[in-house]
Amino acid sequence: MFKKISVLLVLLVLCIVPGIFAEDPVGGQWWLDKPIYSIRFEGLVHADENELREITNGYLGKRYSSELFSALQSELFNLQYFAYFSAQAEKGGESGEELIIVFEFVELPIISSLEIVGNSVVRDADIEEVLTISDESFATSAKIKTNENSIRELYLAKGFTSVEVTSDLKTDTDTNTIALTITISEGLQSKISAINFSGNEKYSENTLRRIIVSRQQSLFNPGNYIEGNIQEDRDAIQKYYRERGFIDISVANVIKNEVEQDDVTKNMLELTYVIEEGNEWVFGDVEFEGNEIFTDDKIRSVFTISPGRPLNVVKLQESISSIAKLYWNDGYVTSKIETTEERNEDNGSISYTISIQEGVQSVVEDVIIQGQEKTKDFVLYRELNIASGDIFSIDKLLSSMQNIYNTGIISDVSYDLLYGTEENSVIIEISVVESNKVDLEFGATFGGSSADDFPVSGFFSWTDKNFLGNGQDFSISMNISPSSQTLSFAFEESWLMNQRWSGGISLSAGHYKLENILQDVQGIIFSEDGYNNGIAAPDPYESFEQYQADMEEGLSIPEENLMSYDQYKFTLGLSSGYTFHTDIGRLTLGGSTSIALSKILYDDTLYRPYNPIIRANLDTWQFNNKIGLNFAWDGRDLIENTTTGFLFQETVTYAGGILGGSSNYFKNSTGLSGFVTLFELPREEKNPIKGVLSAKTTVSTMLPQFYYDNGWGWGLTATQAEKLYIDGMNVARGKSPVYNLEFLWDNALEFSMPIAEKILWGEIYISATGYKVNLDEISSMDISDYYFSTGAGIRLAIPGFPLGLYLTKNFYFDEDKDFHWVGGDILKNQDNEESGLKLVLAITTNLY
């Protein structure tokens, strides 16, 4: 049945491409250039009419042409729902002369039942994961064959080298349905009992085993024999040798010997890789000919191989590619590079002559961006650093693609270079894939906006990062948790007046329940002056010195001495900034301002907050005004999933002072991050997996402000949430929270790589966090003021869930500079208080 349908489908496609309306002998082709008034479907049984309407509605109102109809029929055929269909033109509509297209469909059979039989080792669930058909799927022979191959590949990946997969179809012509049975003959599973090498003299078997993909069966590895891995192993061995001077290396054969054993359900194999190493060669020298535009010294400067060193063929190819890029970057896209080698058997060296045909410079005739659906053209074209009429430059093209990707609305970008219509001209064709344009989310999320927020909350958010296709960011969000309920609106335009000048506005209203607030209600009751002069101490302390000493020791204030209060807050925020794209990275200058109106509620007959700002805000509305300035020097390759580059950030917040308001302070934060890719693991038809090392340091300070309080003077007034703090989750993981800090220096070294790209990442880290309660004490800082954390874990890379789970080990140095581990509950030895690890649920975004 399927063979007949396939032939018929091909014939029909060939017949209907020019147009499938029968010519009216009276009216001629009256439908040409007429607007399409409506499209009607006939013959549908199983296909969803709404799905077809999503396609055809885009053609309503357009004028009919053969090209337009070809595009419409292609979209319908691509659904793979129909064996064939025909179309007829009818007159109708309000005037009776408007064009109505009537499609008559003959559907493909639909799968009424799908049964998998014969599998015993591989589970049904694993097989179903690789299938693209199921009950109610339309069936074609190509689809069924594809799914057979998917099952076969699944088994081959598990070592079943003799697996057979067949399909049986029972057709019900009355209902146009198929009962499909997929039968699997698994055969024996092949396992690798041993991996050996012969002919290797330079490198040991253990060295070679580490670089290949195949693994012999062990306690930690199933040792499945996968035929596809053998060629990958051969390539890995040859690459390893060729990077070390053995350019004639050959893996001549891979011998597979069956090993007798008692388990009749498995086929045990012993592999032997037969290696012919050849001679070891060193790099002699290189000469250039044909180059006039660039000097020998300029070209030689991009070579990464030194004479006398082992000849690394991979680096040699990279060096030749660098020469090509040198020419391409100056517009010489038609340049050709050829190499000839000369071997010196006496000293074991190989020298090269590189012949260059430089050609002429190419001019960009046009730049075409395609693939965008919602995004308006100008949003992407304004990111280009290269335009029509420019001399072609590969660096400018790549930086343009990087700019497009960094808009955040594009998930993938690639290019093709085409010959132009004029001599020595090129057309750049950039293809993009739009990312999710609109996110509508609701459910549960993790993380708060301050140190006091409850970490789990319900949320609803509507975010469009490409609002109306203009590249604007508009969002509405609502969060509800036991500690906070907020409603916020935000809008940001990244290009004002067609310049890289951003502007944004935000509005929010919220109620917050703030916990663990320090009190001063027992013992000595300190005045506001005592607080401002650094004399006041919270309960249960009667001197600030003792309070400070205990905090630096990591002690906590008893819960009975803490209080909570409710805060109602309305905030208006404005922001703006300008970004300069330069050869040294993206430079951004920005500013922001916020006006907040808040009121605090608590029972003042029972509680007295330690901070006088909170006391002054009781039952009264007060303003809290801020201005922020920021500078960023961004040399990262990608804003998300950064693999190389650096980021320097400077942020200053001016609160109160001449602006007025309840809080008065300067807050300064300086951060520097560096990223480098240590290695890349190639994957077929995918971006390589990269192992990325990053180093980060951030210094934050709270400084006094000049403000009016019964007279002008200097001082620092801020709430616990406004001051610096250690959260123990992202900063100093594993440490108990520390609040009311005026100095914080956080440093971290991290290695990360994806486990499941865009979903889950693995990390190993070590961090050192230094802090002081009072800024004037930083001159006395030493190693005893730092808290250290190291560990490993995983983090989610899913928007809305910035979570990480880490096993951490903490340590510190006491005042005598003696080293101490901090104990944990995981794997703890009861005889050793310093043993054990901590399990930390971290919010993997900055909280200050």
Side-chain angles (χ1 to χ4, degrees):
M1 176 178 181
F2 284 105
K3 289 183 180 179
K4 292 180 181 179
I5 289 176
S6 300
V7 172
L8 180 59
L9 182 60
V10 171
L11 292 175
L12 283 168
V13 170
L14 292 175
C15 292
I16 65 178
V17 167
I20 59 174
F21 298 149
E23 185 173 348
D24 186 340
V26 178
Q29 294 183 334
W30 61 268
W31 52 81
L32 287 177
D33 204 40
K34 272 196 171 286
I36 301 175
Y37 177 74
S38 69
I39 298 175
R40 195 167 71 242
F41 308 132
E42 295 180 359
L44 296 182
V45 179
H46 300 294
D48 184 355
E49 182 175 337
N50 291 328
E51 188 174 359
L52 271 62
R53 291 289 176 204
E54 289 182 4
I55 295 174
T56 59
N57 284 347
Y59 291 84
L60 297 179
K62 294 183 178 180
R63 294 187 177 275
Y64 176 86
S65 68
S66 296
E67 293 78 14
L68 182 76
F69 191 79
S70 293
L72 171 57
Q73 70 176 6
S74 293
E75 287 197 65
L76 294 173
F77 267 120
N78 287 340
L79 292 173
Q80 296 185 25
Y81 292 171
F82 310 112
Y84 61 91
F85 56 80
S86 60
Q88 182 69 38
E90 293 184 358
K91 295 181 179 180
E94 296 178 0
S95 66
E97 293 294 322
E98 294 176 283
L99 173 59
I100 299 173
I101 300 176
V102 182
F103 281 104
E104 177 70 30
F105 294 104
V106 176
E107 293 181 348
L108 289 166
I110 199 169
I111 299 174
S112 59
S113 65
L114 173 60
E115 185 180 7
I116 301 169
V117 298
N119 57 306
S120 59
V121 179
V122 179
R123 300 178 307 163
D124 285 354
D126 293 335
I127 297 173
E128 289 166 1
E129 280 188 7
V130 303
L131 294 180
T132 59
I133 56 174
S134 60
D135 294 352
E136 306 303 320
S137 293
F138 287 93
T140 66
S141 57
K143 276 186 181 181
I144 293 174
K145 185 62 66 177
T146 298
N147 282 269
E148 288 178 0
N149 290 335
S150 296
I151 296 173
R152 191 174 293 107
E153 290 297 324
L154 173 66
Y155 271 87
L156 291 174
K158 294 180 179 293
F160 292 86
T161 56
S162 58
V163 62
E164 293 183 2
V165 183
T166 57
S167 297
D168 179 63
L169 299 87
K170 293 182 179 179
T171 304
D172 186 333
T173 55
D174 293 336
T175 60
N176 197 26
T177 59
I178 287 175
L180 175 61
T181 302
I182 298 178
T183 303
I184 302 170
S185 176
E186 293 181 326
L188 294 180
Q189 187 176 24
S190 296
K191 298 280 187 177
I192 302 173
S193 64
I195 297 177
N196 303 315
F197 301 87
S198 70
N200 56 306
E201 297 180 2
K202 182 68 176 181
Y203 301 107
S204 68
E205 290 197 346
N206 286 336
T207 298
L208 298 178
R209 285 192 188 100
R210 285 196 296 268
I211 65 175
I212 63 175
V213 178
S214 299
R215 292 287 183 266
Q216 61 191 44
Q217 189 177 33
S218 67
L219 180 63
F220 303 104
N221 196 292
N224 294 333
Y225 173 77
I226 302 172
E227 185 66 36
N229 286 348
I230 299 301
Q231 185 58 49
E232 192 172 342
D233 292 342
R234 300 175 79 151
D235 292 342
I237 294 169
Q238 291 173 167
K239 180 175 181 290
Y240 187 82
Y241 271 89
R242 287 171 181 166
E243 289 177 335
R244 290 158 176 81
F246 293 86
I247 66 171
D248 300 318
I249 169 68
S250 172
V251 180
N253 194 12
V254 181
I255 301 171
K256 295 174 285 187
N257 291 322
E258 293 188 10
V259 179
E260 293 185 5
Q261 37 88 41
D262 296 332
D263 190 349
V264 295
T265 65
K266 291 182 174 60
N267 180 31
M268 302 302 295
L269 298 176
E270 183 180 51
L271 303 183
T272 301
Y273 294 81
V274 181
I275 298 172
E276 295 176 359
E277 291 182 331
N279 295 327
E280 183 177 7
W281 297 90
V282 299
F283 179 63
D285 205 349
V286 61
E287 293 182 355
F288 308 102
E289 60 181 29
N291 55 303
E292 296 180 1
I293 297 164
F294 298 109
T295 65
D296 286 3
D297 289 341
K298 178 64 176 177
I299 298 176
R300 195 182 296 272
S301 68
V302 302
F303 254 72
T304 58
I305 313 175
S306 301
R309 302 288 298 172
L311 177 57
N312 186 328
V313 175
V314 175
K315 284 191 175 182
L316 176 65
Q317 293 300 326
E318 290 174 353
S319 296
I320 294 171
S321 296
S322 297
I323 297 173
K325 183 180 178 183
L326 195 65
Y327 277 90
W328 272 53
N329 204 42
D330 213 29
Y332 295 90
V333 297
T334 59
S335 60
K336 296 180 181 179
I337 300 174
E338 296 180 352
T339 62
T340 56
E341 67 174 46
E342 182 179 346
R343 300 193 179 198
N344 187 326
E345 302 284 352
D346 295 334
N347 60 14
S349 68
I350 300 179
S351 298
Y352 290 87
T353 299
I354 296 181
S355 302
I356 303 172
Q357 297 179 26
E358 294 178 325
V360 295
Q361 282 182 313
S362 294
V363 176
V364 177
E365 179 179 315
D366 198 6
V367 182
I368 301 170
I369 303 178
Q370 60 184 13
Q372 63 272 33
E373 298 177 4
K374 176 181 178 180
T375 307
K376 295 178 180 177
D377 288 348
F378 74 88
V379 175
L380 302 181
Y381 278 96
R382 68 191 180 188
E383 298 292 343
L384 296 176
N385 294 330
I386 191 168
S388 176
D390 291 351
I391 299 296
F392 177 81
S393 167
I394 190 65
D395 279 351
K396 287 184 178 180
L397 172 56
L398 294 178
S399 65
S400 298
M401 294 169 60
Q402 181 176 312
N403 291 345
I404 290 173
Y405 182 82
N406 283 336
T407 60
I409 60 177
I410 299 298
S411 63
D412 193 24
V413 56
S414 58
Y415 80 93
D416 281 320
L417 205 58
L418 311 175
Y419 287 111
T421 58
E422 301 292 334
E423 188 177 2
N424 302 322
S425 67
V426 293
I427 297 172
I428 301 172
E429 189 176 85
I430 298 176
S431 300
V432 300
V433 177
E434 290 178 326
S435 57
N436 292 333
K437 308 169 193 69
V438 180
D439 292 329
L440 180 61
E441 300 177 340
F442 57 90
T445 189
F446 297 81
S449 59
S450 75
D452 301 303
D453 270 358
F454 188 77
V456 182
S457 61
F459 73 93
F460 165 84
S461 69
W462 178 83
T463 302
D464 190 346
K465 294 184 178 298
N466 191 11
F467 187 56
L468 300 179
N470 292 320
Q472 300 161 333
D473 194 337
F474 181 61
S475 65
I476 303 172
S477 61
M478 179 173 62
N479 282 272
I480 301 176
S481 76
S483 62
S484 65
Q485 303 86 45
T486 62
L487 176 65
S488 62
F489 303 83
F491 177 82
E492 184 176 5
E493 167 62 77
S494 57
W495 281 75
L496 291 173
M497 297 167 50
N498 202 32
Q499 300 292 322
R500 293 187 183 276
W501 177 21
S502 65
I505 183 171
S506 62
L507 293 167
S508 67
H511 163 255
Y512 307 90
K513 184 78 171 181
L514 288 97
E515 308 280 353
N516 302 319
I517 305 302
L518 301 177
Q519 288 204 84
D520 182 17
V521 71
Q522 300 174 351
I524 300 175
I525 307 299
F526 294 94
S527 65
E528 182 176 346
D529 288 339
Y531 181 90
N532 293 334
N533 294 329
I535 298 173
D539 296 339
Y541 298 97
E542 296 190 354
S543 74
F544 182 80
E545 290 75 13
Q546 185 59 48
Y547 161 65
Q548 183 181 15
D550 282 1
M551 292 303 99
E552 292 181 351
E553 287 290 327
L555 301 179
S556 301
I557 292 179
E559 200 171 307
E560 58 267 22
N561 296 115
L562 301 173
M563 63 169 287
S564 63
Y565 65 81
D566 291 279
Q567 181 184 47
Y568 295 88
K569 191 173 184 179
F570 298 90
T571 304
L572 167 66
L574 301 171
S575 63
S576 184
Y578 195 91
T579 300
F580 302 87
H581 280 231
T582 72
D583 293 338
I584 59 174
R586 299 176 293 276
L587 302 177
T588 300
L589 296 172
S592 63
T593 182
S594 69
I595 301 172
L597 188 63
S598 67
K599 181 169 73 171
I600 287 173
L601 300 177
Y602 61 88
D603 188 346
D604 60 351
T605 64
L606 299 176
Y607 307 110
R608 183 178 185 269
Y610 169 60
N611 192 316
I613 295 178
I614 301 174
R615 300 199 296 266
N617 206 181
L618 176 64
D619 292 329
T620 182
W621 290 100
Q622 287 193 346
F623 282 102
N624 192 343
N625 305 317
K626 301 176 185 178
I627 291 179
L629 299 174
N630 62 79
F631 167 77
W633 180 9
D634 191 348
R636 295 174 294 176
D637 58 344
L638 302 174
I639 293 175
E640 297 180 0
N641 302 321
T642 304
T643 61
T644 186
F646 64 89
L647 174 64
F648 173 79
Q649 290 179 298
E650 177 72 25
T651 304
V652 177
T653 302
Y654 177 97
I658 62 174
L659 301 177
S662 57
S663 297
N664 300 275
Y665 60 85
F666 279 106
K667 182 188 288 186
N668 181 79
S669 180
T670 304
L672 178 62
S673 303
F675 304 83
V676 62
T677 297
L678 297 182
F679 60 82
E680 297 184 6
L681 302 177
R683 294 184 293 177
E684 290 185 4
E685 299 180 357
K686 292 184 179 180
N687 293 327
I689 298 174
K690 297 185 177 182
V692 179
L693 181 68
S694 62
K696 306 174 184 179
T697 182
T698 303
V699 179
S700 302
T701 56
M702 298 287 293
L703 301 167
Q705 171 70 285
F706 188 71
Y707 69 99
Y708 186 84
D709 183 18
N710 298 322
W712 288 94
W714 288 91
L716 195 162
T717 61
T719 65
Q720 178 172 299
E722 290 172 324
K723 282 194 171 184
L724 305 173
Y725 55 86
I726 291 174
D727 57 40
M729 293 183 294
N730 195 44
V731 179
R733 289 176 186 144
K735 181 172 176 58
S736 300
V738 181
Y739 304 107
N740 293 303
L741 303 176
E742 294 183 4
F743 178 80
L744 182 62
W745 187 5
D746 187 45
N747 307 274
L749 185 67
E750 297 180 353
F751 171 78
S752 60
M753 64 182 299
I755 298 173
E757 198 168 13
K758 297 182 180 180
I759 299 176
L760 191 67
W761 283 63
E763 287 185 356
I764 302 172
Y765 79 95
I766 184 169
S767 68
T769 306
Y771 61 94
K772 280 291 187 181
V773 175
N774 289 325
L775 186 62
D776 55 12
E777 296 176 347
I778 62 173
S779 59
S780 63
M781 281 190 69
D782 58 30
I783 197 170
S784 64
D785 294 301
Y786 286 82
Y787 194 83
F788 299 87
S789 177
T790 185
I794 54 176
R795 64 174 175 84
L796 292 175
I798 303 173
F801 288 83
L803 288 181
L805 191 63
Y806 299 87
L807 277 175
T808 68
K809 186 64 178 177
N810 303 110
F811 59 93
Y812 67 95
F813 295 84
D814 61 23
E815 293 182 355
D816 297 324
K817 312 300 186 294
D818 293 330
F819 177 89
H820 297 277
W821 289 110
V822 178
D825 296 329
I826 309 292
L827 303 176
K828 185 175 183 63
N829 181 352
Q830 299 300 326
D831 296 329
N832 184 355
E833 293 185 357
E834 295 186 351
S835 67
L837 306 173
K838 294 181 180 179
L839 186 64
V840 177
L841 178 65
I843 301 170
T844 54
T845 55
N846 273 338
L847 295 179
Y848 59 86

